Amino acid sequence: MDKPTIVSAEEWQQARDDLLKAEKELTRAQDALAARRRRLPMVRFDKPYVFDTPDGHKSLIDLFDGRGELVVYQFMDRGPQHYCPGCTGFTDNVPVHALPLLAARGITWKTVSNMPLAQIEAYKAERGWTLPFVSSHGTSFSDDCGAGGGFMLSVFLRDGDDVYRTYSTTSRGVDRLVFAHSVMDLAPYGRMQDWEDSPEGWPQHPTYG
């Protein structure tokens, strides 16, 4: 297995300083994107969705739990007894202890799926998850968000009794929230997946293999 080139401490520091310049440029670019994100317009979500939850039926505004902002991860529905490995891996990486921190800042987290609630609860028990899941089964919520049969992260803002969607992302936009991936991206071999641009001879395997 190939390994990074061995250099002197002085050469390593110079290479690290060069990379730091690029990292700072990226940080500034991400800050600028976040500023644009905060200025996005929003769209009203006013359909009378009825979500099935362990505490009974709830509306979209109920999912806010009385707070002003709501972040929803839409977990794919792949049919009875079939579960998306990507959504499963993402949910495994959601830091449960961060949810109270978000709540203290007025943000509620909910995982929503078109799977029937009984299927969700069974899978939660199997995985040992304590995250709040609700079912959108039988509603057009997933389609209205643009997720369809896929996965998506959506952000909502509440103004009194009115609910608005302010942001959404999927694919790599959701991937950036995965803690383990962020750490792997700092490691010398990265995620070891075949889509990555790595030096010749670096260990890699198919992304879903």
Coordinates of all heavy atoms in Angstrom, one line a residue, residues 132-209:
P132 N -36.3 11.6 16.7 CA -37.7 11.7 16.4 C -38.0 11.5 15.0 O -37.6 12.2 14.1 CB -38.0 13.2 16.8 CG -36.7 13.9 16.7 CD -35.7 13.0 17.0
F133 N -38.7 10.4 14.7 CA -39.2 10.0 13.4 C -40.7 10.2 13.3 O -41.4 9.9 14.2 CB -38.9 8.6 13.1 CG -37.6 8.3 12.4 CD1 -36.4 8.3 13.2 CD2 -37.5 7.9 11.1 CE1 -35.2 8.0 12.6 CE2 -36.3 7.6 10.5 CZ -35.1 7.6 11.3
V134 N -41.2 10.7 12.1 CA -42.6 10.7 11.8 C -42.9 10.2 10.4 O -42.0 10.2 9.6 CB -43.2 12.1 12.0 CG1 -42.9 12.7 13.4 CG2 -42.7 13.1 10.9
S135 N -44.1 9.8 10.2 CA -44.4 9.2 8.9 C -45.3 10.2 8.1 O -46.3 10.8 8.6 CB -45.2 7.9 9.0 OG -45.7 7.5 7.8
S136 N -44.9 10.4 6.8 CA -45.7 11.2 5.9 C -46.5 10.3 4.9 O -46.9 10.8 3.9 CB -44.8 12.2 5.1 OG -43.7 11.4 4.4
H137 N -46.6 9.0 5.3 CA -47.3 8.1 4.4 C -48.7 8.5 4.1 O -49.4 9.0 5.0 CB -47.3 6.7 5.2 CG -47.9 5.6 4.3 ND1 -47.2 5.0 3.3 CD2 -49.1 4.9 4.4 CE1 -47.9 4.1 2.7 NE2 -49.1 4.0 3.4
G138 N -49.0 8.5 2.8 CA -50.4 8.9 2.4 C -50.5 10.4 2.1 O -51.6 10.8 1.8
T139 N -49.4 11.1 2.3 CA -49.5 12.6 2.0 C -48.6 12.9 0.8 O -47.9 12.1 0.3 CB -49.0 13.4 3.2 OG1 -47.5 13.4 3.2 CG2 -49.5 12.9 4.5
S140 N -48.7 14.1 0.3 CA -47.9 14.6 -0.8 C -46.7 15.3 -0.4 O -46.0 16.0 -1.2 CB -48.8 15.5 -1.7 OG -49.2 16.6 -1.1
F141 N -46.4 15.2 0.9 CA -45.3 16.0 1.5 C -44.0 15.8 0.8 O -43.3 16.7 0.4 CB -45.1 15.7 3.0 CG -44.0 16.5 3.7 CD1 -44.2 17.9 3.9 CD2 -42.9 15.9 4.1 CE1 -43.2 18.6 4.5 CE2 -41.9 16.7 4.7 CZ -42.0 18.0 4.9
S142 N -43.6 14.5 0.6 CA -42.3 14.2 -0.1 C -42.3 14.8 -1.5 O -41.3 15.4 -1.9 CB -42.1 12.7 -0.1 OG -40.9 12.4 -0.7
D143 N -43.4 14.6 -2.2 CA -43.4 15.1 -3.6 C -43.4 16.6 -3.6 O -42.7 17.2 -4.5 CB -44.7 14.6 -4.3 CG -44.6 13.1 -4.6 OD1 -43.5 12.6 -4.8 OD2 -45.7 12.5 -4.8
D144 N -44.1 17.3 -2.7 CA -44.1 18.7 -2.6 C -42.8 19.3 -2.3 O -42.4 20.4 -2.7 CB -45.2 19.2 -1.6 CG -46.6 18.8 -2.0 OD1 -46.8 18.5 -3.2 OD2 -47.5 18.9 -1.1
C145 N -42.0 18.6 -1.6 CA -40.6 19.0 -1.2 C -39.6 18.8 -2.4 O -38.6 19.3 -2.4 CB -40.1 18.3 0.0 SG -40.8 18.8 1.6
G146 N -40.1 17.9 -3.3 CA -39.2 17.6 -4.5 C -38.3 16.4 -4.2 O -37.5 16.0 -5.0
A147 N -38.5 15.7 -3.1 CA -37.8 14.5 -2.8 C -38.3 13.3 -3.5 O -37.5 12.4 -3.9 CB -37.8 14.2 -1.3
G148 N -39.6 13.2 -3.8 CA -40.1 12.1 -4.5 C -39.8 10.8 -3.7 O -40.0 10.7 -2.5
G149 N -39.2 9.9 -4.4 CA -38.8 8.6 -3.7 C -37.4 8.7 -3.2 O -36.9 7.7 -2.7
G150 N -36.8 9.9 -3.2 CA -35.4 10.0 -2.8 C -35.3 10.6 -1.4 O -36.2 10.6 -0.6
F151 N -34.1 11.1 -1.1 CA -33.8 11.7 0.2 C -33.6 13.2 0.0 O -33.1 13.6 -1.0 CB -32.7 11.0 1.0 CG -31.3 11.2 0.3 CD1 -30.5 12.3 0.8 CD2 -30.9 10.4 -0.7 CE1 -29.3 12.5 0.2 CE2 -29.7 10.7 -1.3 CZ -28.8 11.7 -0.9
M152 N -33.8 13.9 1.1 CA -33.6 15.4 1.0 C -33.6 16.0 2.4 O -34.1 15.4 3.3 CB -34.7 16.0 0.2 CG -34.7 17.5 0.0 SD -35.9 18.1 -1.2 CE -35.0 17.7 -2.7
L153 N -32.9 17.1 2.5 CA -32.9 17.9 3.7 C -33.6 19.2 3.4 O -33.3 19.9 2.5 CB -31.5 18.2 4.2 CG -31.4 18.8 5.6 CD1 -31.3 17.6 6.7 CD2 -30.3 19.7 5.8
S154 N -34.6 19.5 4.2 CA -35.4 20.7 4.0 C -35.4 21.5 5.3 O -35.4 21.0 6.4 CB -36.8 20.5 3.6 OG -36.9 19.9 2.3
V155 N -35.5 22.9 5.2 CA -35.5 23.8 6.3 C -36.8 24.6 6.2 O -37.1 25.2 5.1 CB -34.3 24.7 6.4 CG1 -34.3 25.6 7.6 CG2 -33.0 23.8 6.4
F156 N -37.5 24.7 7.3 CA -38.7 25.5 7.4 C -38.7 26.6 8.5 O -38.0 26.4 9.5 CB -39.9 24.6 7.7 CG -40.1 23.5 6.6 CD1 -39.5 22.3 6.7 CD2 -40.9 23.7 5.5 CE1 -39.6 21.3 5.7 CE2 -41.1 22.8 4.5 CZ -40.5 21.5 4.7
L157 N -39.4 27.7 8.2 CA -39.5 28.8 9.1 C -40.9 29.0 9.5 O -41.8 28.9 8.6 CB -38.9 30.0 8.5 CG -39.0 31.3 9.4 CD1 -38.0 31.2 10.6 CD2 -38.6 32.5 8.5
R158 N -41.2 29.2 10.7 CA -42.6 29.4 11.2 C -42.8 30.9 11.5 O -41.9 31.5 12.2 CB -42.8 28.6 12.4 CG -44.2 28.9 13.1 CD -44.3 28.1 14.4 NE -45.5 28.4 15.1 CZ -45.8 28.0 16.3 NH1 -44.9 27.2 17.0 NH2 -46.9 28.4 16.9
D159 N -43.9 31.5 11.0 CA -44.3 32.8 11.4 C -45.7 32.8 11.9 O -46.6 32.8 11.1 CB -44.1 33.8 10.1 CG -44.5 35.2 10.5 OD1 -44.5 35.6 11.7 OD2 -44.7 36.0 9.5
G160 N -45.8 32.7 13.2 CA -47.2 32.5 13.7 C -47.7 31.1 13.3 O -47.1 30.1 13.6
D161 N -48.8 31.1 12.6 CA -49.4 29.9 12.1 C -49.1 29.6 10.7 O -49.6 28.6 10.1 CB -51.0 29.9 12.3 CG -51.4 29.9 13.7 OD1 -50.7 29.4 14.6 OD2 -52.5 30.5 14.0
D162 N -48.2 30.4 10.1 CA -47.8 30.2 8.7 C -46.4 29.5 8.7 O -45.5 29.8 9.5 CB -47.7 31.5 8.0 CG -49.0 32.2 7.9 OD1 -50.1 31.5 7.7 OD2 -49.1 33.4 8.0
V163 N -46.3 28.5 7.8 CA -45.0 27.8 7.6 C -44.5 28.0 6.2 O -45.2 28.0 5.2 CB -45.3 26.3 7.8 CG1 -44.0 25.5 7.6 CG2 -45.7 26.0 9.3
Y164 N -43.2 28.3 6.2 CA -42.5 28.5 4.9 C -41.3 27.6 4.8 O -40.6 27.4 5.8 CB -42.0 30.0 4.8 CG -43.2 31.0 5.0 CD1 -43.5 31.5 6.2 CD2 -43.8 31.5 3.8 CE1 -44.6 32.4 6.3 CE2 -44.9 32.4 4.0 CZ -45.2 32.8 5.2 OH -46.3 33.7 5.3
R165 N -41.0 27.2 3.6 CA -39.8 26.5 3.3 C -38.7 27.5 2.8 O -38.9 28.3 1.9 CB -40.0 25.4 2.2 CG -38.9 24.4 2.0 CD -39.3 23.5 0.9 NE -38.4 22.4 0.7 CZ -38.1 21.8 -0.5 NH1 -38.7 22.2 -1.6 NH2 -37.3 20.8 -0.5
T166 N -37.5 27.4 3.5 CA -36.5 28.4 3.2 C -35.3 27.8 2.5 O -34.5 28.5 1.8 CB -36.0 29.0 4.5 OG1 -35.4 28.0 5.3 CG2 -37.1 29.7 5.2
Y167 N -35.1 26.5 2.6 CA -33.9 25.9 2.0 C -34.1 24.4 1.8 O -34.9 23.8 2.5 CB -32.7 26.1 2.9 CG -31.4 25.5 2.4 CD1 -30.7 26.1 1.3 CD2 -30.8 24.4 3.0 CE1 -29.5 25.6 0.8 CE2 -29.6 23.9 2.5 CZ -29.0 24.4 1.4 OH -27.8 23.9 0.9
S168 N -33.4 23.8 0.8 CA -33.4 22.4 0.7 C -32.0 21.9 0.0 O -31.4 22.7 -0.7 CB -34.5 21.9 -0.2 OG -34.4 22.3 -1.5
T169 N -31.6 20.7 0.2 CA -30.4 20.2 -0.4 C -30.5 18.7 -0.4 O -31.3 18.1 0.3 CB -29.1 20.7 0.3 OG1 -28.0 20.3 -0.5 CG2 -29.0 20.0 1.7
T170 N -29.7 18.1 -1.3 CA -29.7 16.6 -1.3 C -28.3 16.2 -1.8 O -27.4 17.0 -1.9 CB -30.8 16.1 -2.3 OG1 -30.9 14.6 -2.2 CG2 -30.5 16.5 -3.7
S171 N -28.1 14.9 -2.0 CA -26.8 14.4 -2.5 C -25.6 14.9 -1.6 O -25.6 14.8 -0.4 CB -26.6 14.7 -4.0 OG -27.7 14.1 -4.7
R172 N -24.6 15.6 -2.3 CA -23.5 16.0 -1.5 C -23.8 17.1 -0.5 O -23.0 17.3 0.4 CB -22.4 16.5 -2.5 CG -21.8 15.4 -3.4 CD -21.1 14.3 -2.6 NE -20.0 14.8 -1.8 CZ -18.8 15.0 -2.3 NH1 -18.5 14.8 -3.6 NH2 -17.8 15.4 -1.5
G173 N -24.9 17.8 -0.7 CA -25.3 18.8 0.2 C -25.7 18.2 1.6 O -25.4 18.8 2.6
V174 N -26.2 17.0 1.5 CA -26.5 16.3 2.8 C -25.3 15.6 3.3 O -25.0 15.6 4.5 CB -27.7 15.3 2.5 CG1 -27.9 14.4 3.8 CG2 -29.0 16.0 2.2
D175 N -24.5 15.1 2.4 CA -23.2 14.4 2.8 C -22.3 15.2 3.7 O -21.7 14.7 4.6 CB -22.5 14.0 1.5 CG -21.1 13.4 1.7 OD1 -21.1 12.2 1.9 OD2 -20.2 14.1 1.7
R176 N -22.3 16.5 3.5 CA -21.4 17.4 4.2 C -21.8 17.4 5.7 O -21.0 17.9 6.5 CB -21.4 18.8 3.7 CG -22.7 19.6 3.7 CD -22.7 20.9 3.1 NE -21.8 21.8 3.8 CZ -22.3 22.6 4.8 NH1 -23.6 22.6 5.1 NH2 -21.5 23.5 5.4
L177 N -23.0 17.0 6.1 CA -23.4 16.9 7.5 C -22.9 15.7 8.2 O -23.1 15.6 9.4 CB -24.9 17.1 7.6 CG -25.5 18.3 7.0 CD1 -27.0 18.3 7.1 CD2 -24.9 19.6 7.6
V178 N -22.4 14.7 7.4 CA -22.0 13.4 8.0 C -20.7 13.6 8.8 O -19.7 13.8 8.1 CB -22.0 12.3 7.0 CG1 -21.5 11.0 7.6 CG2 -23.3 12.1 6.3
F179 N -20.7 13.4 10.1 CA -19.5 13.6 10.9 C -18.3 12.7 10.4 O -17.2 13.1 10.3 CB -19.8 13.3 12.4 CG -18.6 13.3 13.3 CD1 -18.0 14.5 13.7 CD2 -18.1 12.1 13.7 CE1 -16.9 14.5 14.5 CE2 -17.0 12.1 14.6 CZ -16.4 13.3 15.0
A180 N -18.6 11.4 10.3 CA -17.6 10.4 9.9 C -16.9 10.8 8.6 O -15.7 10.7 8.4 CB -18.1 9.0 9.9
H181 N -17.7 11.2 7.6 CA -17.2 11.6 6.3 C -16.2 12.9 6.5 O -15.2 12.9 5.8 CB -18.3 11.9 5.3 CG -19.0 10.7 4.9 ND1 -20.1 10.8 4.0 CD2 -18.8 9.4 5.1 CE1 -20.5 9.5 3.8 NE2 -19.7 8.7 4.4
S182 N -16.6 13.8 7.3 CA -15.8 15.0 7.5 C -14.5 14.6 8.1 O -13.4 15.2 7.7 CB -16.6 16.0 8.4 OG -17.8 16.4 7.8
V183 N -14.5 13.7 9.0 CA -13.2 13.2 9.6 C -12.4 12.5 8.6 O -11.1 12.7 8.5 CB -13.4 12.4 10.8 CG1 -12.1 11.8 11.4 CG2 -14.1 13.2 11.9
M184 N -13.0 11.6 7.8 CA -12.3 10.8 6.8 C -11.6 11.8 5.8 O -10.5 11.5 5.2 CB -13.2 9.9 6.1 CG -13.7 8.7 6.9 SD -14.9 7.7 5.9 CE -15.7 6.8 7.3
D185 N -12.3 12.9 5.4 CA -11.8 13.8 4.5 C -10.5 14.5 5.0 O -9.7 15.1 4.2 CB -12.8 14.9 4.1 CG -14.0 14.4 3.3 OD1 -13.8 13.3 2.7 OD2 -15.0 15.0 3.2
L186 N -10.2 14.4 6.3 CA -9.0 15.0 6.8 C -7.9 13.9 6.9 O -6.7 14.3 7.1 CB -9.2 15.5 8.2 CG -10.3 16.6 8.4 CD1 -10.4 17.0 9.9 CD2 -9.9 17.9 7.6
A187 N -8.2 12.7 6.8 CA -7.3 11.6 6.9 C -6.5 11.4 5.6 O -7.0 11.7 4.5 CB -8.0 10.3 7.3
P188 N -5.3 10.8 5.6 CA -4.5 10.7 4.4 C -5.1 9.9 3.3 O -4.9 10.2 2.1 CB -3.2 10.1 4.9 CG -3.5 9.5 6.3 CD -4.6 10.4 6.8
Y189 N -5.8 8.8 3.7 CA -6.4 8.0 2.6 C -7.8 8.4 2.3 O -8.5 7.8 1.4 CB -6.4 6.5 3.0 CG -5.0 5.9 3.1 CD1 -4.6 5.1 4.2 CD2 -4.1 6.1 2.0 CE1 -3.3 4.6 4.2 CE2 -2.8 5.6 2.1 CZ -2.5 4.8 3.2 OH -1.2 4.3 3.2
G190 N -8.4 9.5 2.9 CA -9.7 9.9 2.6 C -10.8 8.9 2.9 O -10.7 8.2 3.9
R191 N -11.8 8.9 2.1 CA -12.9 7.9 2.3 C -12.6 6.5 1.7 O -13.4 5.6 1.8 CB -14.2 8.5 1.8 CG -14.6 9.8 2.4 CD -16.0 10.3 1.9 NE -16.2 11.7 2.2 CZ -17.3 12.3 1.9 NH1 -18.3 11.7 1.4 NH2 -17.4 13.6 2.2
M192 N -11.5 6.5 0.9 CA -11.1 5.3 0.2 C -12.2 4.8 -0.7 O -12.4 3.6 -0.9 CB -10.7 4.2 1.2 CG -9.4 4.5 2.0 SD -8.8 3.2 3.0 CE -9.9 3.5 4.5
Q193 N -12.9 5.7 -1.4 CA -13.9 5.4 -2.4 C -13.4 5.8 -3.8 O -12.7 6.7 -4.0 CB -15.2 6.1 -2.0 CG -15.8 5.7 -0.7 CD -17.1 6.4 -0.3 OE1 -17.5 7.3 -1.1 NE2 -17.6 6.1 0.8
D194 N -13.9 5.0 -4.8 CA -13.3 5.1 -6.1 C -13.7 6.4 -6.8 O -13.1 6.7 -7.9 CB -13.7 3.9 -6.9 CG -15.2 3.7 -7.0 OD1 -16.0 4.6 -6.6 OD2 -15.6 2.6 -7.6
W195 N -14.6 7.2 -6.3 CA -14.9 8.5 -7.0 C -13.9 9.6 -6.6 O -13.8 10.6 -7.3 CB -16.3 9.0 -6.7 CG -16.5 9.2 -5.2 CD1 -17.0 8.3 -4.3 CD2 -16.3 10.4 -4.5 NE1 -17.1 8.9 -3.1 CE2 -16.6 10.2 -3.1 CE3 -15.8 11.7 -4.8 CZ2 -16.5 11.2 -2.1 CZ3 -15.6 12.6 -3.8 CH2 -16.0 12.4 -2.5
E196 N -13.1 9.3 -5.5 CA -12.2 10.4 -5.0 C -10.9 10.5 -5.9 O -10.4 9.5 -6.5 CB -11.7 10.0 -3.6 CG -12.8 10.1 -2.6 CD -12.3 9.8 -1.2 OE1 -12.1 8.6 -0.9 OE2 -12.2 10.7 -0.4
D197 N -10.4 11.7 -6.0 CA -9.1 12.0 -6.7 C -8.0 11.7 -5.7 O -7.7 12.6 -4.9 CB -9.1 13.4 -7.2 CG -7.8 13.7 -7.9 OD1 -7.0 12.8 -8.1 OD2 -7.7 14.9 -8.3
S198 N -7.5 10.5 -5.7 CA -6.4 10.1 -4.8 C -5.2 9.7 -5.6 O -5.3 9.4 -6.8 CB -6.8 9.0 -3.9 OG -7.9 9.4 -3.0
P199 N -4.0 9.8 -5.0 CA -2.8 9.4 -5.7 C -2.8 7.9 -6.1 O -3.5 7.1 -5.5 CB -1.7 9.6 -4.6 CG -2.2 10.6 -3.7 CD -3.7 10.3 -3.6
E200 N -2.1 7.6 -7.2 CA -2.0 6.3 -7.7 C -1.6 5.3 -6.6 O -0.6 5.6 -5.9 CB -1.0 6.2 -8.9 CG -1.0 4.9 -9.6 CD -2.3 4.6 -10.4 OE1 -2.9 5.6 -10.8 OE2 -2.6 3.5 -10.6
G201 N -2.3 4.2 -6.5 CA -2.0 3.2 -5.5 C -2.6 3.3 -4.1 O -2.5 2.5 -3.3
W202 N -3.4 4.4 -4.0 CA -4.1 4.6 -2.7 C -5.2 3.6 -2.6 O -5.8 3.2 -3.6 CB -4.7 6.0 -2.6 CG -4.1 7.0 -1.7 CD1 -4.7 7.8 -0.8 CD2 -2.7 7.4 -1.5 NE1 -3.9 8.6 -0.1 CE2 -2.6 8.3 -0.5 CE3 -1.5 6.9 -2.1 CZ2 -1.4 8.9 -0.1 CZ3 -0.3 7.4 -1.7 CH2 -0.3 8.4 -0.7
P203 N -5.5 3.1 -1.4 CA -6.6 2.1 -1.2 C -7.9 2.8 -1.5 O -8.3 3.8 -1.0 CB -6.5 1.7 0.3 CG -5.8 2.9 0.9 CD -4.8 3.4 -0.1
Q204 N -8.7 2.1 -2.4 CA -10.0 2.6 -2.8 C -10.9 1.4 -3.1 O -10.5 0.3 -3.4 CB -10.0 3.5 -4.0 CG -9.3 4.9 -3.8 CD -9.4 5.8 -5.0 OE1 -9.1 5.4 -6.1 NE2 -9.9 7.0 -4.7
H205 N -12.2 1.6 -2.9 CA -13.2 0.6 -3.2 C -14.5 1.2 -3.7 O -14.6 2.5 -3.5 CB -13.5 -0.2 -1.9 CG -14.0 0.6 -0.7 ND1 -15.2 1.2 -0.6 CD2 -13.3 1.0 0.4 CE1 -15.3 1.9 0.5 NE2 -14.2 1.8 1.1
P206 N -15.4 0.5 -4.3 CA -16.6 1.1 -4.8 C -17.4 1.7 -3.7 O -17.4 1.2 -2.6 CB -17.3 -0.1 -5.4 CG -16.3 -1.1 -5.8 CD -15.2 -0.9 -4.7
T207 N -18.0 2.9 -4.0 CA -18.7 3.6 -3.0 C -19.7 2.8 -2.2 O -19.9 2.8 -1.0 CB -19.4 4.9 -3.6 OG1 -18.4 5.7 -4.2 CG2 -20.1 5.7 -2.6
Y208 N -20.5 2.0 -3.0 CA -21.6 1.2 -2.4 C -21.2 -0.3 -2.4 O -22.1 -1.1 -2.4 CB -22.9 1.5 -3.0 CG -23.4 2.9 -2.8 CD1 -23.4 3.8 -3.8 CD2 -23.8 3.3 -1.5 CE1 -23.8 5.1 -3.6 CE2 -24.2 4.6 -1.3 CZ -24.2 5.5 -2.3 OH -24.6 6.8 -2.1
G209 N -19.9 -0.6 -2.6 CA -19.5 -2.0 -2.7 C -19.0 -2.5 -1.3 O -19.0 -1.9 -0.3

